[in-house]
Amino acid sequence: MRQQLSAGNWKMNGTTAQLDELRALVAAHKAPGCAVLICPPATLIAAAADVARGSSIAIGAQDCHAAASGAHTGDLSAPMLVDAGATHVILGHSERRADHGETDAGIRAKTEAAVTAGLVPIVCVGETLAQREAGETLKVITTQLNGSLPDAAPAGLVVAYEPVWAIGTGRVATTDQIAQVHDAMRAALTERFGVDVADATSLLYGGSVKPDNAAEIFATSNVDGALVGGASLRAADFSPIVTALSDASQP
Ligand code: PGA
């Protein structure tokens, strides 16, 4: 069955001092009942992988280039991230779609590159507030999903639903809104890739997940975990989210 995953996205936050938070997480979760991932800025991946070595916490990246190497100043390839100690990579985050003009086709190429390098891709989709208010949410999500995922969907794929209006705003989607999108995503994956791949895909919710709303979100239909921004920066905030998912994952 699919993995239950509590993933932290540190975004452009943290220098080496921030690794103390990772040390605290490693100490607090020796045998968590779910998978735990921290995606620090690229400058910290190798050091974070050192801190997490031998622990139950995995380290991921926040983006990769679609090519394995070449003349792409400032970019990082998927094999480089693997070499630095990453096992996962976030792709198509709405901040990258907005700040860097990332398109579904470009994200699909990055997803293919990640899979080829052996990274687990965490492909992000999400509607803006204007799109939600126009009643376009499910159309936007299925279009992004279809465009961003390669035809040969990898085993153990992760998809994150992150409504743009809920990211970093403290405004969390309701469980009804989350369930509607997550159920639709599972159905779309089943239709395109078949039931085995769809069942093996972890669907994360992201957008203002905090210790006090995590349990309710994890009890929602087709939610297999969370992609957490702000609340992943402090072990004191992220740790209860990991515990909530561990508790929700017990049979
Ligand atoms: P947030 O960010 O938890 O700070 O809302 C979520 C994300 O962007 O992954």
Side-chain angles (χ1 to χ4, degrees), residues 9 11 93 95 162 166-169 206-210 227-231:
N9 171 12
K11 308 190 178 182
H93 190 282
E95 286 154 11
E162 300 203 303
I167 295 176
T169 58
S208 298
V209 177
K210 308 287 177 203
L227 182 55
V228 184

Side-chain angles (χ1 to χ4, degrees), residues 3-10 18-40 44-61 84-88 232 234-236 238-243 246:
Q3 203 168 51
Q4 304 293 300
L5 173 63
S6 191
N9 171 12
W10 283 0
Q18 172 70 14
L19 293 173
D20 283 348
E21 300 297 330
L22 178 60
R23 288 186 189 94
L25 280 178
V26 166
H29 299 286
K30 297 233 184 294
C34 63
V36 185
L37 172 72
I38 290 291
C39 300
L44 291 180
I45 290 174
D50 275 346
V51 170
R53 186 159 295 117
S55 82
S56 50
I57 297 182
I59 302 301
T87 54
H88 294 62
S232 72
R234 298 279 162 262
F238 193 57
S239 204
I241 295 173
V242 172
T243 302
S246 300

Side-chain angles (χ1 to χ4, degrees), residues 2-144:
R2 57 186 172 263
Q3 203 168 51
Q4 304 293 300
L5 173 63
S6 191
N9 171 12
W10 283 0
K11 308 190 178 182
M12 197 174 73
N13 295 293
T15 52
T16 44
Q18 172 70 14
L19 293 173
D20 283 348
E21 300 297 330
L22 178 60
R23 288 186 189 94
L25 280 178
V26 166
H29 299 286
K30 297 233 184 294
C34 63
V36 185
L37 172 72
I38 290 291
C39 300
T43 48
L44 291 180
I45 290 174
D50 275 346
V51 170
R53 186 159 295 117
S55 82
S56 50
I57 297 182
I59 302 301
Q62 299 173 13
D63 179 45
C64 73
H65 196 279
S69 64
H72 303 288
T73 302
D75 282 316
L76 297 170
S77 73
M80 291 170 176
L81 299 171
V82 171
D83 185 53
T87 54
H88 294 62
V89 60
I90 298 169
L91 294 171
H93 190 282
S94 62
E95 286 154 11
R96 293 204 60 84
R97 289 179 187 259
D99 295 353
H100 300 273
E102 294 208 4
T103 62
D104 289 338
I107 294 158
R108 179 186 184 130
K110 290 180 176 198
T111 303
E112 284 170 341
V115 172
T116 300
L119 291 169
V120 176
I122 301 175
V123 177
C124 301
V125 297
E127 82 287 2
T128 63
L129 188 58
Q131 288 165 333
R132 173 162 286 276
E133 286 174 346
E136 294 171 354
T137 298
L138 292 185
K139 192 183 89 194
V140 168
I141 299 302
T142 46
T143 301
Q144 289 181 342

Side-chain angles (χ1 to χ4, degrees), residues 123-191:
V123 177
C124 301
V125 297
E127 82 287 2
T128 63
L129 188 58
Q131 288 165 333
R132 173 162 286 276
E133 286 174 346
E136 294 171 354
T137 298
L138 292 185
K139 192 183 89 194
V140 168
I141 299 302
T142 46
T143 301
Q144 289 181 342
L145 210 49
N146 282 331
S148 304
L149 295 180
D151 287 330
L157 174 72
V158 183
V159 171
Y161 168 55
E162 300 203 303
V164 176
W165 48 271
I167 295 176
T169 58
R171 188 174 163 194
V172 66
T174 66
T175 51
D176 281 353
Q177 289 171 328
I178 297 171
Q180 185 199 30
V181 172
H182 279 236
D183 290 353
M185 292 198 300
R186 188 83 66 201
L189 291 168
T190 305
E191 192 180 327

Side-chain angles (χ1 to χ4, degrees), residues 198-218:
D199 273 354
T201 300
S202 301
L203 302 182
L204 311 184
Y205 169 77
S208 298
V209 177
K210 308 287 177 203
D212 62 358
N213 60 25
E216 189 186 17
I217 291 167
F218 295 148

